[in-house]
Amino acid sequence: ILDLYLIAVDSDHRNSGASALLIWEMLKVAREAGIEVAETGPNLEENQNIRALWNWFEGEKNIRRRRSWIKQL
């Protein structure tokens, strides 16, 4: 199992394709090693960028999403 739990790209490099390149290279190495399953940690539901990234993948998807609320005290 390839664990993608703590993947992040510095804000200076967002929207540059860095996250796609990182995932692509990790998957290439994982396939060469015979790994066929990858898991990710929870993603914020409103994070459209990561949700779009997971759309590249075929097969069964069990994406864990999280919501957050703000309450003024």
Side-chain angles (χ1 to χ4, degrees), residues 16-73:
S16 68
S19 59
L21 182 61
L22 177 65
I23 296 287
W24 181 263
E25 288 298 319
M26 287 187 347
L27 289 176
K28 186 171 75 171
V29 171
R31 284 186 182 143
E32 290 170 359
I35 297 173
E36 296 181 0
V37 176
E39 293 212 359
T40 179
N43 304 139
L44 286 175
E45 197 170 48
E46 65 267 9
N47 187 340
Q48 297 299 321
N49 292 335
I50 195 66
R51 291 177 66 189
L53 183 68
W54 300 137
N55 284 334
W56 292 1
F57 296 91
E58 297 176 358
E60 181 182 343
K61 294 179 189 134
N62 183 15
I63 299 173
R64 294 167 284 196
R65 296 184 186 149
R66 296 289 190 263
R67 292 182 183 170
S68 60
W69 291 269
I70 298 174
K71 179 177 180 179
Q72 300 296 326
L73 300 177

